């Protein structure tokens, strides 16, 4: 019988005080190899590109050129076996322990930094990417699929920054066609803590914790698989304003919109419906409000 996965109290206390923790192993070595093989296949075949799910995280998309920083949202839409893993089972258990029993999977993200050319990911808070009309409780679990250190872009954190408000962000070069956001506010960068990991190790961080990964200067690609969990957000229209999100239009967003118009919306609903939390009124309310807010905010 599988034993429940429980974080020791020392780690839960560290998470509350520092805004992040790390684990040396969250899943078996053979599973790490399987996940890596699956994700590399999806990247090599540019799966999800026409739907806007795969894109270049650092540059404008050009289908005729190699991607500088391939990124894929919700890879389990194309490889459902990814959510039948020990990694997912244990990640969900961690999320429930840190966020509460209402915690559930919000999304996934696979990030591939090519050997020697994979660029940095700027300092940012994940909440800066979210709608400012909601209050959130969210965390991300970042799985290393090979050993990671500063030479190939391990995670780095500012301890205690989860207690900050959402700081000011901007698009790199103020180019709102690009995917990254970078924090352009003042914060103590000199306190940054790199977190090297073995293959199969992971970090867990709060959505307000400032974090960064450096470029991959090694001779091998660096691949990470992130699972994002939250509890039902609370709708508070007009709560705040994130001007860095206004007018933001990436190439992948435009491809996704066109795919929806061609009938892709039905495919997306079919993919998401089995995961819908229809027995929980809080989740149903959030899904409905979120869907309506997206409709009304869409450019006409």
């Amino acid at each position: 019988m599988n034993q429940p996965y429980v974080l020791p109290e020392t780690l839960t206390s560290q998470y509350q005080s520092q805004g992040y923790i790390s684990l040396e192993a969250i899943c078996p070595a053979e599973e790490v190899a399987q996940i890596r093989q699956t994700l590399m296949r999806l990247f090599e075949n540019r799966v999800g590109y026409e739907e806007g799910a795969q894109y270049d995280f650092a540059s404008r998309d050009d289908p005729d050129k190699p991607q500088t920083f391939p990124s894929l949202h919700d890879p389990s839409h194309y490889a459902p076996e990814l959510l039948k893993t020990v990694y997912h089972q244990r990640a969900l258990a961690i999320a429930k322990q840190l966020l509460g029993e209402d915690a559930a999977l919000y999304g996934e993200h696979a990030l591939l930094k090519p050997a020697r050319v994979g660029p940095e990911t700027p300092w940012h808070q994940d909440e800066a990417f979210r709608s400012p009309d909601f209050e959130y409780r969210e965390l991300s679990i970042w799985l290393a699929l090979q050993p990671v250190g500063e030479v190939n872009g391990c995670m780095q954190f500012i301890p205690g920054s989860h207690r900050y408000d959402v700081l000011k962000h901007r698009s790199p070069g103020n180019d709102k066609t690009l995917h990254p956001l970078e924090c352009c506010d003042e914060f103590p960068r000199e306190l940054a803590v790199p977190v090297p990991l073995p293959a199969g190790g992971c970090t867990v961080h709060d959505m307000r914790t400032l974090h960064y990964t450096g470029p991959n200067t090694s001779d091998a690609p660096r691949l990470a698989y992130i699972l994002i969990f939250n509890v039902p957000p609370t709708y508070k229209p007009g709560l705040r304003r994130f001007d860095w999100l206004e007018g933001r239009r990436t190439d992948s967003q435009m491809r996704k919109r066109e795919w929806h118009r061609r009938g892709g919306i039905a495919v997306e609903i079919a993919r998401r419906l089995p995961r819908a939390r229809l027995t929980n009124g809080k989740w149903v309310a959030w899904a409905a409000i979120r869907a309506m807010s997206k409709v009304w905010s869409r450019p006409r």
Side-chain angles (χ1 to χ4, degrees):
M1 179 181 295
N2 290 332
Q3 295 295 315
Y5 192 78
V6 180
L7 291 175
E9 187 175 340
T10 52
L11 285 181
T12 58
S13 296
Q14 181 186 334
Y15 183 82
Q16 299 302 331
S17 64
Q18 301 294 305
Y20 73 94
I21 56 175
S22 64
L23 301 170
E24 288 293 298
I26 193 174
C27 58
E30 61 271 17
E31 186 171 278
V32 172
Q34 291 166 1
I35 293 173
R36 182 179 177 84
Q37 183 179 37
T38 297
L39 294 177
M40 290 300 291
R41 172 176 53 81
L42 296 178
F43 279 123
E44 288 165 3
N45 294 322
R46 287 211 176 187
V47 170
Y49 182 84
E50 293 302 323
E51 302 172 17
Q54 185 167 167
Y55 54 87
D56 193 323
F57 186 78
S59 305
R60 294 292 302 271
D61 285 325
D62 185 339
D64 297 324
K65 294 182 179 179
Q67 294 175 312
T68 60
F69 190 173
S71 172
L72 177 61
H73 275 298
D74 295 320
S76 69
H77 285 172
Y78 313 98
E81 64 271 19
L82 289 169
L83 296 187
K84 299 175 182 177
T85 56
V86 172
Y87 170 48
H88 177 261
Q89 175 189 340
R90 291 179 174 175
L92 178 59
I94 290 170
K96 287 181 178 290
Q97 190 172 346
L98 296 176
L99 298 177
E101 282 300 314
D102 278 345
L105 184 68
Y106 171 70
E108 314 152 69
H109 201 184
L111 291 163
L112 177 63
K113 291 196 177 189
R116 296 181 296 280
V117 297
E120 69 174 15
T121 303
W123 282 105
H124 68 280
Q125 297 164 300
D126 292 337
E127 192 173 350
F129 287 88
R130 306 288 181 255
S131 166
D133 289 334
F134 292 86
E135 282 187 344
Y136 304 88
R137 290 182 62 229
E138 177 183 306
L139 60 77
S140 295
I141 301 181
W142 191 98
L143 174 67
L145 292 166
Q146 68 289 298
V148 292
E150 291 186 73
V151 70
N152 62 346
C154 68
M155 291 285 276
Q156 300 189 35
F157 300 100
I158 303 294
S161 56
H162 63 305
R163 297 195 184 93
Y164 299 176
D165 290 332
V166 178
L167 302 180
K168 186 177 180 180
H169 287 65
R170 67 187 172 202
S171 297
N174 291 312
D175 184 350
K176 291 191 174 183
T177 65
L178 300 179
H179 279 273
L181 292 174
E182 59 183 6
C183 182
C184 54
D185 221 327
E186 294 295 322
F187 64 92
R189 296 169 186 253
E190 69 276 7
L191 299 182
V193 178
V195 184
L197 293 168
C202 74
T203 59
V204 183
H205 71 268
D206 182 87
M207 69 184 308
R208 287 197 182 179
T209 303
L210 280 158
H211 57 286
Y212 161 91
T213 64
N216 180 12
T217 59
S218 76
D219 292 330
R222 192 227 68 182
L223 182 61
Y225 180 34
I226 302 99
L227 298 180
I228 306 164
F229 296 89
N230 66 0
V231 297
T234 303
Y235 185 49
K236 293 193 174 180
L239 175 68
R240 54 197 170 168
R241 180 183 175 190
F242 291 172
D243 58 3
W244 53 87
L245 296 181
E246 296 171 9
R248 192 165 174 263
R249 297 287 179 271
T250 65
D251 295 331
S252 68
Q253 286 175 328
M254 302 309 294
R255 287 199 306 279
K256 184 173 185 177
R257 200 163 292 160
E258 286 302 314
W259 177 64
H260 279 176
R261 291 192 183 119
R262 298 194 305 269
I265 187 67
V267 176
E268 185 154 350
I269 290 172
R271 286 172 178 163
R272 295 187 182 276
L273 197 57
R275 304 182 196 176
R277 295 155 283 232
L278 301 178
T279 59
N280 187 317
K282 294 178 182 178
W283 281 115
V284 172
W286 177 62
I289 293 168
R290 182 168 176 255
M292 289 302 297
S293 67
K294 283 194 171 188
V295 169
W296 286 111
S297 64
R298 180 170 292 182
R300 290 169 169 79

